[in-house]
Amino acid sequence: MPERKTIAAYLEAVQGQIRWKRARPLLVRELERHLEDQRDDFLKEGKAPDEAERLAVEDMGDPVTVGTELDRIHRPRPQWGLLVLTIVLAAVGVFLRVLFRRPYFRQDLVLMRALASLGLGTAAMLGMYFLDVSRLVRHARALYIGTLVMTVPLLRFVYPTYSFSLVSALYPLAYVLWLYSFRGKGWKGLLLTILGGMPLAAVCCLIPSASGLFILLFSGLAATLYAAGRDWFGVGRWKGVGAVLAVAFGLLAFLFLKGYLNSFLLRVMIALRPELEKEHRGYMGWVLHMFWEDVPPLRSVGGEAAMPVNAGARVFGGGQEFRPIDFSHDFLPASMAVAWGWIPLALLLAALTILLLWMLVKGLRQSYLPGHFVVLAVVLTLGFQTLFSAALNFGFVLFSASLPLVVGNFQTVVDMALIGLALSVFRGDSIAREEPAKPLRPRKRLRIKLEYQ
Amino acid sequence: MELEKSLVSGSMSLLVLKLLEGGDLYGYQMIEELRRQSGDAFRLKAGTLYPLLHGLEEKGFVTAYEQTAESGKTRRYYHLTKQGHQALRDKETAWDAYARAVGRVLKGGACLAGA
């Protein structure tokens, strides 16, 4: 064995055996502290500095053996299964977007854009997959503020479809990162966490994006309850949960008193029974209900001709000429069911649900808490998108929602990036560590001005 | 008395889990504590301890967290999980059965006495 008797040389030899570069600093830091402790104890016993360091190094054992053992344990955990499943689902989305495009759209252009979204989405997913999530968490508040500042221009300058996709996909994550940064900060932390959700909600209202707002509210509530249930803020588990529920019900009461809740409940009623306002606000839901009456489990080839005519007759009256209905974009899943029967749509929804549940189960098994929260944000966001889209396509028309990985080119890219982020948590699980607890430092006051109309 | 290496290595994870049952410890503390509690019989090398700890963490028996001490040094503490407690119980039971069996054989064999 070569003469390697200093701590630095020893650590260099150890890390030479560890193939995963990202794991090296973490593993070496622990050994370094141990060697320093051991050296200091030898110094206290009266050994000379050189001898103390040599003895400490010898005491630890052969660096190659130690490094090899650590290398065996700490390997990246590839997530090929989930990556492939995501790409397959996104490819199915490309196929469906091309097949069920608006009749007046050119097929070659639609195909090119859909393929480009798959390519960009895959690149974004892999980019996030290789990202170190601990870096993201380290700058949690900066990312929250950055997301908010960057998305405000959406209100004026960006095409609405892009704003909806970005806001509904990124805001729950930004909120969860904000929440994460208030660990152990007591009641003040809990209050600031909840206040942090308000500017995001305000942007959703101003866009206006109802789906973005509801995905943010539901995901935010679920994540805050989850955090409070783990006593994230250090105020006591049940006190925290109680406080979050009190704020949620308080907000509901406030909206009720302001009269917003009444109009919302009216919308829910019309979504449930669209026939009550079939020529006005219930129109789309009514049309969908008519179409669903004729959707069989599986449609045989060539059997589709009569169906839209029958549905059209029920919608517009038997004597009237059938008018084609635009079932593209958010209604693409319904178009698919109309053309092929409900079983293919059920299979697609089941595949998405399996992907999300698989991610959720893996995410909640993580020992790395920031990973928990990142995965939770991603799964809640995509889960609510799926749920809302399914509701919309089955005729419960409350607000627009795009089926993840299937509807919308830009949406697909954003969804794939989010999934890549969740998978990066699983990939780096074996070295994922929390930041050391630091003593509290005085912080500058952050003023948030809220305006209600 | 210096113990034979193979005797110690097989039971090391049991001993480490047992140490952590008493509270969260960092690696250096564990080695010192093991040496003290065993009356200097177990002189575990750090190079053996850390891969062992990381392996236990991988299995979910322990979790690790970093904390900065007053001296300013950041230590990585290990904490026994619920799963780790169960593993400790199982290993203790297995060890008791093994020790009793070895003891019986060393004392001349219970089965022969009864035959």
Side-chain angles (χ1 to χ4, degrees):
Chain A
M1 196 182 115
E3 281 298 305
R4 290 181 182 278
K5 301 295 184 191
T6 64
I7 290 178
Y10 183 89
L11 295 175
E12 198 181 312
V14 170
Q15 71 176 351
Q17 304 304 312
I18 303 169
R19 282 170 287 175
W20 192 13
K21 281 187 185 168
R22 225 169 86 190
R24 286 177 183 169
L26 181 111
L27 302 175
V28 162
R29 200 162 61 223
E30 187 177 31
L31 298 181
E32 186 178 18
R33 282 175 205 143
H34 185 104
L35 286 165
E36 286 169 358
D37 282 345
Q38 183 71 79
R39 179 199 59 200
D40 294 347
D41 277 357
F42 281 132
L43 284 173
K44 277 183 207 157
E45 285 174 16
K47 302 273 191 302
D50 282 356
E51 195 191 359
E53 191 159 336
R54 180 181 62 79
L55 287 172
V57 162
E58 282 178 0
D59 209 42
M60 188 163 264
D62 177 29
V64 174
T65 311
V66 175
T68 313
E69 279 296 302
L70 291 173
D71 175 71
R72 191 178 55 78
I73 298 168
H74 297 286
R75 307 287 309 138
R77 294 175 184 164
Q79 301 296 322
W80 301 122
L82 287 169
L83 281 170
V84 169
L85 180 56
T86 307
I87 293 172
V88 167
L89 280 169
V92 169
V94 167
F95 175 68
L96 294 175
R97 286 202 294 283
V98 174
L99 204 67
F100 296 103
R101 69 190 182 281
R102 288 189 171 97
Y104 46 87
F105 277 12
R106 277 175 54 189
Q107 187 178 358
D108 53 345
L109 279 180
V110 173
L111 178 66
M112 207 170 70
R113 291 186 62 179
L115 285 176
S117 79
L118 180 63
L120 279 173
T122 306
M125 180 167 69
L126 290 176
M128 298 305 258
Y129 175 68
F130 289 109
L131 184 89
D132 182 359
V133 173
S134 63
R135 280 191 197 172
L136 201 75
V137 172
R138 221 170 288 150
H139 306 291
R141 286 188 199 172
L143 282 166
Y144 163 84
I145 293 165
T147 307
L148 190 61
V149 170
M150 270 169 47
T151 48
V152 166
L154 295 177
L155 300 174
R156 190 170 287 266
F157 301 112
V158 179
Y159 188 63
T161 313
Y162 296 150
S163 340
F164 293 166
S165 303
L166 266 179
V167 161
S168 63
L170 297 184
Y171 274 16
L173 181 64
Y175 174 76
V176 165
L177 286 173
W178 174 256
L179 180 157
Y180 176 80
S181 71
F182 289 103
R183 184 181 193 183
K185 296 287 179 351
W187 289 108
K188 191 180 160 194
L190 178 57
L191 181 69
L192 282 171
T193 297
I194 295 169
L195 285 177
M198 291 189 175
L200 301 173
V203 175
C204 290
C205 292
L206 291 171
I207 283 181
S209 168
S211 56
L213 178 67
F214 282 98
I215 288 171
L216 173 70
L217 288 180
F218 289 138
S219 310
L221 179 64
T224 316
L225 279 175
Y226 178 77
R230 298 184 65 110
D231 199 15
W232 188 253
F233 306 100
V235 297
R237 183 176 293 192
W238 294 112
K239 280 184 189 170
V241 170
V244 175
L245 287 175
V247 170
F249 284 114
L251 190 67
L252 271 180
F254 171 77
L255 293 173
F256 177 73
L257 289 173
K258 280 280 197 181
Y260 293 126
L261 206 60
N262 281 343
S263 60
F264 179 71
L265 288 176
L266 186 68
R267 281 181 66 168
V268 172
M269 207 179 76
I270 294 168
L272 284 169
R273 298 192 59 194
E275 66 275 14
L276 294 177
E277 279 211 26
K278 61 183 177 185
E279 287 177 3
H280 186 39
R281 284 179 289 187
Y283 174 72
M284 206 61 207
W286 167 246
V287 172
L288 277 161
H289 281 214
M290 290 301 101
F291 271 80
W292 271 105
E293 278 191 18
D294 284 329
V295 173
L298 262 180
R299 186 175 297 287
S300 57
V301 179
E304 72 270 21
M307 204 274 292
V309 179
N310 291 342
R314 276 200 298 276
V315 176
F316 303 110
Q320 293 188 33
E321 193 185 337
F322 170 69
R323 279 180 271 169
I325 292 158
D326 184 3
F327 268 180
S328 54
H329 205 75
D330 283 351
F331 293 102
L332 191 152
S335 306
M336 183 184 160
V338 166
W340 299 339
W342 59 260
I343 288 182
L345 175 60
L347 288 175
L348 181 64
L349 290 174
L352 272 170
T353 310
I354 288 169
L355 172 72
L356 295 177
L357 284 178
W358 192 356
M359 280 165 53
L360 184 67
V361 170
K362 274 180 88 110
L364 295 182
R365 277 190 195 151
Q366 297 281 307
S367 52
Y368 178 55
L369 276 177
H372 263 236
F373 283 98
V374 168
V375 175
L376 199 65
V378 171
V379 172
L380 284 170
T381 303
L382 300 179
F384 280 119
Q385 275 179 15
T386 308
L387 190 69
F388 291 167
S389 169
L392 178 77
N393 280 280
F394 285 115
F396 183 77
V397 182
L398 195 59
F399 41 76
S400 69
S402 306
L403 193 63
L405 301 175
V406 175
V407 173
N409 291 322
F410 184 70
Q411 173 91 42
T412 300
V413 176
V414 178
D415 288 341
M416 288 179 88
L418 276 184
I419 291 173
L421 184 65
L423 299 190
S424 82
V425 173
F426 307 147
R427 179 176 177 271
D429 183 36
S430 106
I431 54 152
R433 299 285 177 270
E434 287 184 61
E435 291 289 293
K438 286 176 190 161
L440 291 176
R441 279 179 298 178
R443 289 182 182 279
K444 285 180 184 173
R445 278 172 189 270
L446 180 70
R447 282 188 183 179
I448 301 167
K449 191 181 174 189
L450 293 169
E451 285 181 10
Y452 265 97
Q453 287 182 340
Chain B
M1 185 184 68
E2 192 79 12
L3 289 177
E4 204 180 306
K5 233 179 175 182
S6 61
L7 270 180
V8 183
S9 63
S11 55
M12 202 42 74
S13 55
L14 166 65
L15 296 175
V16 166
L17 291 174
K18 189 69 188 170
L19 281 179
L20 289 172
E21 196 185 29
D24 299 356
L25 297 169
Y26 57 91
Y28 195 75
Q29 278 181 320
M30 278 183 228
I31 291 177
E32 291 296 304
E33 196 60 23
L34 198 61
R35 187 182 296 175
R36 192 184 63 77
Q37 286 189 21
S38 68
D40 254 8
F42 297 155
R43 288 168 175 267
L44 181 60
K45 277 200 181 293
T48 311
L49 175 69
Y50 288 106
L52 175 71
L53 281 171
H54 291 200
L56 292 174
E57 196 184 1
E58 189 84 351
K59 288 177 187 157
F61 295 166
V62 300
T63 52
Y65 63 94
E66 292 196 342
Q67 200 154 20
T68 310
E70 281 178 15
S71 62
K73 283 188 180 177
T74 306
R75 314 279 191 195
R76 203 162 143 226
Y77 286 83
Y78 289 87
H79 171 82
L80 193 63
T81 62
K82 211 171 159 186
Q83 215 182 329
H85 274 287
Q86 187 54 49
L88 174 60
R89 295 284 88 81
D90 295 345
K91 280 178 188 287
E92 277 180 326
T93 311
W95 178 262
D96 283 344
Y98 174 74
R100 272 200 304 274
V102 171
R104 277 202 298 271
V105 173
L106 292 180
K107 280 175 192 161
C111 52
L112 281 179

